[in-house]
Amino acid sequence: MRALTRARRATALFLLAALGAVVLSVAGPARLRHAERRVAARLLGGVRLLQRRLQRHEEPLFGNLATSQVGYGEAARKEFTSPRPFTSFVVEDETGGQVAFRGQGPVRSLHTDVLGPFSTVFLGDFSALARPGRYRVRTDDGLTSLPFAVGADVFDGPLRAVQRWFYYQRAFTQVEAPYAEGPWVHASDADKAPQGVRGGWHDAGDFSVYSAYLNPAIFWLLLSAADFSPVADDTHIPESGNGTPDVLDEARWGLHWLLSVQDSEGGFQNTTCQTTYGPYGTNTPNSVPPYRNGEVGTLATARAVGTLAFAASVFRKVDAGFASACLQAAYRGVRYLEAHPDVTTDGPSCSSARADNNPEVGRRARSYAAAGMLLATGEARFLSAFEASYAEPAYEMGFLHLDGPAALLYLRADKGDAARKTTLWASLRAGADVALREGAQHPFGWAGRYHWGSLGAGFLRAGLFSIPMCLQHPEAASADCEQALASVHYVFGRNLKQFCFVTGLQRVTRSMHWGFHQWLETLDAHPRDFPGLVAGGPNRAPEPSDVSTPQGRPVPSWGYYGDPAFVRGTETPIDARYTDNDSWSTNEPSVEWQAEAVYVLHFAKFLASASAR
């Protein structure tokens, strides 16, 4: 009967595909009248909806015990979440089934409103398992987890993949073999850049370069180098083997863009903007129209000053000449800000990243600039500038606010005021305590926020609050260390869908394969997405315009709403409001949260390797 069902489904798919081909051929000629083209488009959309419905295959929610699919450090806390109570469990070897650990019933139960029908979950603990290997958890009622690893190197591969995302997103250059490590290549778009503009990364699934998102991305790459001193110079990017850690080579690529968009008065442009796209599935970086320069503004300038000053302090040890160039550009930016003390401007280009006439955003951006300059120069005037624009780091970071990064830069500055540093540490401690409370109340230990970019929210809270506490007092703040790691475990599979929200990781059973991405959709490679792409994640209220267009040509796009392969509605549990398709409000990457993920994974690698020594 199953074979017959499969045969019928295959026949139906074949017939629908044939009908679709006919529709495509009929819908194309220019001689068709407008009404006829509309009918043809509706018919094409209907055929594709039927095809898509037959392709539907989603794993049942909470069909497995929830663990990370990547794994855990040897000395790390290791927990799983079960949808029902159990009296005992075992951790068994993945291949042979030998029992490596035996545990009792739940260490605690938890009530929740984010998992739909699963209103109570039950947590098991197998932290005592420290022997390296590959395992799965099995409870006495037969539920199992997906396989995972335990070891000192479990985060090495994921970190490499997530960090290499930046190579694939580089603007105004080719992505080429052999560095692509697969079919994900495109020709250079350097000829489309405005004169003198170079470097930077295409943000998200489109092609523009935004000051608002590129600066925080560079910040987290630089902080990765500053906090964890990585030495890896072998991630197979064009600069690998040059004696500089690859994370700094990638940060330098972003810094090149900043240096190239500074004007003669010292101000910085807010974007290099691409505003025109063809139909989805037709766009590559070298096929779109020329880019245009964004406007110079105080917000873009303040961001650039803080970032370039931080870069100067980090690069002094590896490239003194480049560090000096960054600092001189930052000084010119300071003069521009001083000449426009009461102005908050960003410019109208690429309006999604604007914050014109928002004095709060402007104040926090200036505090970031002052903190960076204090770190890089130690000059007393930047103490005063920081105090004049001071904003307490907020746990709920506002859009485009930089008070958290400003605080971390200030705390690194030797000339920072001791009393102010005490206040800042207290603010970070308060934020870390909120993260601990939220993690304790969440069914998967996650301290994030269900909105557009939820996974980034979890990484940001880890990077701004939990990790600083952990690095300051590793033993006394061990709970903060584990809370930061909880954001990693959630992304790697300890969630309602038991789903890894990152593409292409080795030895992961169930993961993301399809994000909203202009040039990958056009390339139509197999696999479709390059490794290391981090999704936005579950969104409590996906954008109403994130809809499917089954009649789209040359390809359909399947958004959050209207995709028969991923049926979603108000009854969908909050933690499952995500689709592995072209949904840009759940499944589009971002240069900012990608860099936050890099930082937190450097931390996870550092912790796993340190605990094994």
Side-chain angles (χ1 to χ4, degrees):
M1 179 62 71
R2 287 184 178 178
L4 181 60
T5 300
R6 285 196 297 269
R8 287 175 175 171
R9 177 175 294 183
T11 300
L13 283 172
F14 174 79
L15 292 174
L16 287 170
L19 179 57
V22 172
V23 170
L24 281 171
S25 65
V26 170
R31 66 177 179 271
L32 287 179
R33 293 191 298 272
H34 178 66
E36 292 171 323
R37 288 198 298 270
R38 288 175 57 190
V39 170
R42 285 199 296 269
L43 180 56
L44 174 62
V47 169
R48 285 174 168 170
L49 283 168
L50 287 172
Q51 290 176 317
R52 185 75 171 171
R53 185 172 293 114
L54 290 172
Q55 294 169 1
R56 182 179 182 184
H57 176 73
E58 281 202 88
E59 299 290 339
L61 294 179
F62 234 146
N64 295 92
L65 303 172
T67 63
S68 167
Q69 293 182 58
V70 168
Y72 307 86
E74 295 167 17
R77 184 172 67 198
K78 308 174 187 72
E79 292 184 337
F80 66 88
T81 307
S82 172
R84 53 184 187 246
F86 53 91
T87 58
S88 65
F89 70 93
V90 296
V91 182
E92 57 190 26
D93 181 78
E94 178 193 9
T95 54
Q98 296 91 348
V99 174
F101 179 82
R102 296 183 184 274
Q104 301 304 309
V107 292
R108 64 190 180 100
S109 60
L110 187 69
H111 295 285
T112 179
D113 62 356
V114 300
L115 304 184
F118 307 100
S119 58
T120 303
V121 297
F122 305 86
L123 277 63
D125 189 290
F126 58 104
S127 301
L129 175 64
R131 189 175 73 212
R134 284 192 61 81
Y135 305 97
R136 62 167 55 87
V137 181
R138 184 184 302 276
T139 55
D140 58 313
D141 63 354
L143 271 182
T144 63
S145 72
L146 298 175
F148 56 86
V150 172
D153 60 352
V154 292
F155 300 113
D156 292 13
L159 170 58
R160 180 185 188 273
V162 170
Q163 186 172 299
R164 273 178 49 82
W165 178 92
F166 285 88
Y167 169 70
Y168 294 108
Q169 293 290 109
R170 287 184 179 187
F172 314 128
T173 188
Q174 73 276 18
V175 174
E176 60 183 337
Y179 306 111
E181 297 186 352
W184 311 285
V185 297
H186 66 71
S188 175
D189 56 338
D191 62 321
K192 303 299 177 73
Q195 185 176 6
V197 173
R198 67 189 187 106
W201 305 287
H202 299 303
D203 189 50
D206 295 321
F207 301 144
S208 294
V209 182
Y210 300 96
S211 158
Y213 309 128
L214 175 134
N215 278 283
I218 298 174
F219 169 84
W220 289 108
L221 295 179
L222 292 172
L223 195 65
S224 298
D227 278 351
F228 307 114
S229 303
V231 297
D233 187 25
D234 59 355
T235 64
H236 202 208
I237 60 175
E239 298 82 4
S240 291
N242 66 357
T244 298
D246 283 350
V247 69
L248 285 182
D249 284 322
E250 203 57 68
R252 189 196 300 256
W253 188 268
L255 290 161
H256 283 320
W257 182 82
L258 280 183
L259 294 170
S260 74
V261 298
Q262 186 174 31
D263 75 356
S264 59
E265 296 182 2
F268 288 80
Q269 295 167 8
N270 70 328
T271 183
T272 301
C273 190
Q274 179 59 243
T275 59
T276 304
Y277 295 89
Y280 193 55
T282 68
N283 301 291
T284 65
N286 51 294
S287 71
V288 292
Y291 294 76
R292 73 183 194 198
N293 285 321
E295 292 74 22
V296 171
T298 57
L299 289 173
T301 300
R303 298 180 195 115
V305 167
T307 300
L308 288 164
F310 187 22
S313 72
V314 173
F315 272 93
R316 280 173 183 152
K317 296 180 180 179
V318 296
D319 189 337
F322 183 67
S324 177
C326 289
L327 186 57
Q328 293 308 309
Y331 269 123
R332 293 193 295 274
V334 168
R335 290 194 289 273
Y336 181 89
L337 292 174
E338 290 173 343
H340 303 81
D342 301 316
V343 178
T344 302
T345 60
D346 227 353
S349 296
C350 296
S351 59
S352 64
R354 285 180 63 185
D356 281 323
N357 302 316
N358 187 326
E360 193 61 26
V361 170
R363 184 162 67 95
R364 293 168 193 257
R366 287 176 185 261
S367 74
Y368 176 68
M373 291 301 291
L374 180 64
L375 169 63
T377 71
E379 294 179 19
R381 62 176 172 143
F382 297 118
L383 274 172
S384 301
F386 182 82
E387 292 301 326
S389 56
Y390 173 72
E392 182 177 353
Y395 184 72
E396 293 289 352
M397 287 282 287
F399 180 56
L400 303 181
H401 286 190
L402 290 173
D403 39 289
L408 296 185
L409 291 183
Y410 192 96
L411 290 170
R412 302 184 74 88
D414 292 338
K415 298 296 184 179
D417 178 74
R420 174 55 70 201
K421 287 187 176 183
T422 298
T423 302
L424 288 173
W425 278 118
S427 296
L428 299 188
R429 178 67 266 168
D433 287 341
V434 176
L436 287 173
R437 291 195 296 272
E438 289 189 351
Q441 295 165 4
H442 193 274
F444 308 116
W446 182 61
R449 181 160 63 96
Y450 292 105
H451 71 313
W452 192 347
S454 56
L455 304 183
F459 287 135
L460 183 63
R461 291 173 176 182
L464 289 180
F465 303 107
S466 302
I467 292 176
M469 294 298 108
C470 175
L471 295 180
Q472 187 184 36
H473 301 294
E475 295 184 5
S478 60
D480 297 301
C481 304
E482 297 297 343
Q483 185 56 56
L485 289 175
S487 65
V488 176
H489 302 326
Y490 179 85
V491 169
F492 286 159
R494 192 184 176 200
N495 51 62
L496 179 59
K497 294 167 64 66
Q498 290 87 66
F499 185 81
C500 176
F501 290 103
V502 182
T503 58
L505 300 186
Q506 297 296 311
R507 307 193 76 176
V508 165
T509 305
R510 189 182 303 156
S511 69
M512 174 183 172
H513 290 88
W514 200 283
F516 176 85
H517 201 284
Q518 292 281 1
W519 71 263
L520 287 177
E521 181 62 28
T522 304
L523 185 65
D524 191 28
H526 302 280
R528 192 268 200 171
D529 292 357
F530 53 72
L533 190 153
V534 180
N539 188 344
R540 181 183 293 271
E543 297 297 307
S545 56
D546 186 4
V547 298
S548 300
T549 55
Q551 74 281 6
R553 298 186 60 194
V555 297
S557 64
W558 303 106
Y560 182 85
Y561 300 103
D563 182 355
F566 296 96
V567 179
R568 300 289 186 267
T570 56
E571 74 287 352
T572 302
I574 293 170
D575 203 64
R577 293 181 184 179
Y578 168 88
T579 54
D580 192 25
N581 62 11
D582 302 305
S583 165
W584 42 266
S585 62
T586 69
N587 208 18
E588 185 176 27
S590 166
V591 67
E592 182 172 359
W593 66 62
Q594 191 80 25
E596 293 160 358
V598 168
Y599 178 77
V600 177
L601 284 173
H602 271 288
F603 165 76
K605 173 182 167 65
F606 166 79
L607 215 60
S609 58
S611 64
R613 290 197 290 267

